[in-house]
Amino acid sequence: IGNDYETPEYYKQLANFIIQSNIDMMQLSILTPLPGTNLMEQLQEEDRLVYRKFPQDWDKYRFSYVVHLPHEIDERTIYIGDNYIKKRLYTFPAFPIRLFKSLFYLKSLEKIYAVYKFNQALKTSWQNAQYYDSYPKNFE
């Protein structure tokens, strides 16, 4: 997430889509331009990078920081959107329902355990993100 022109409504629809899609494991990250990519070149040309002092700023380029200036959306909305979607994915009722559906389709306790552990790791990673406690988990 974090593309130009995203809105709170977009994030709400995206969360609903992910949940309704019966996706077992979902890794959601904030748009991060990487060296050698067209996106990095474009954002550099448009002077839209927030962190430009390399190599000292590379620690911000880890998919959990807003490192560019998107059009028509602010950093706060992106962080709230990320918190909103992940809260929906990793809490009741979506999380246990997703595990139950995974068990039904995978028909294997070993596989469902792997799905559970991976989801727990993703949830923990989100809860350890620098923005987790700084931004709300819902849009007002």
Side-chain angles (χ1 to χ4, degrees):
I1 63 172
N3 292 286
D4 295 342
Y5 309 107
E6 292 176 346
T7 64
E9 187 58 35
Y10 169 80
Y11 294 132
K12 291 175 185 177
Q13 290 174 1
L14 180 58
N16 288 335
F17 172 78
I18 293 168
I19 290 167
Q20 293 169 1
S21 296
N22 296 323
I23 296 171
D24 293 311
M25 297 175 281
M26 171 72 187
Q27 183 171 8
L28 182 72
S29 63
I30 295 173
L31 180 67
T32 304
L34 298 175
T37 63
N38 291 339
L39 178 61
M40 175 64 98
E41 291 173 16
Q42 177 185 341
L43 293 174
Q44 284 175 321
E45 288 173 14
E46 295 172 1
D47 196 30
R48 292 173 55 195
L49 291 178
V50 175
Y51 302 100
R52 311 167 205 212
K53 296 177 185 163
F54 304 112
Q56 11 345 356
D57 284 340
W58 280 127
D59 65 325
K60 301 288 192 267
Y61 286 75
R62 57 181 178 171
F63 306 98
S64 64
Y65 283 86
V66 177
V67 296
H68 71 292
L69 301 169
H71 291 299
E72 302 295 322
I73 182 173
D74 61 14
E75 176 181 294
R76 176 177 170 76
T77 302
I78 295 168
Y79 287 130
I80 294 171
D82 194 73
N83 274 339
Y84 173 83
I85 293 168
K86 289 175 181 174
K87 179 183 176 199
R88 296 272 319 273
L89 287 175
Y90 300 125
T91 60
F92 184 85
F95 185 58
I97 290 171
R98 188 166 67 252
L99 289 176
F100 181 74
K101 287 180 178 180
S102 295
L103 179 60
F104 178 77
Y105 288 109
L106 296 173
K107 298 178 181 14
S108 164
L109 290 177
E110 187 175 277
K111 290 177 184 175
I112 190 65
Y113 182 71
V115 168
Y116 169 78
K117 293 301 282 184
F118 190 69
N119 274 281
Q120 285 299 106
L122 291 170
K123 180 179 180 180
T124 299
S125 175
W126 162 55
Q127 291 172 329
N128 289 325
Q130 82 285 352
Y131 59 88
Y132 177 80
D133 288 325
S134 303
Y135 293 92
K137 312 297 182 277
N138 289 304
F139 292 101
E140 296 154 20

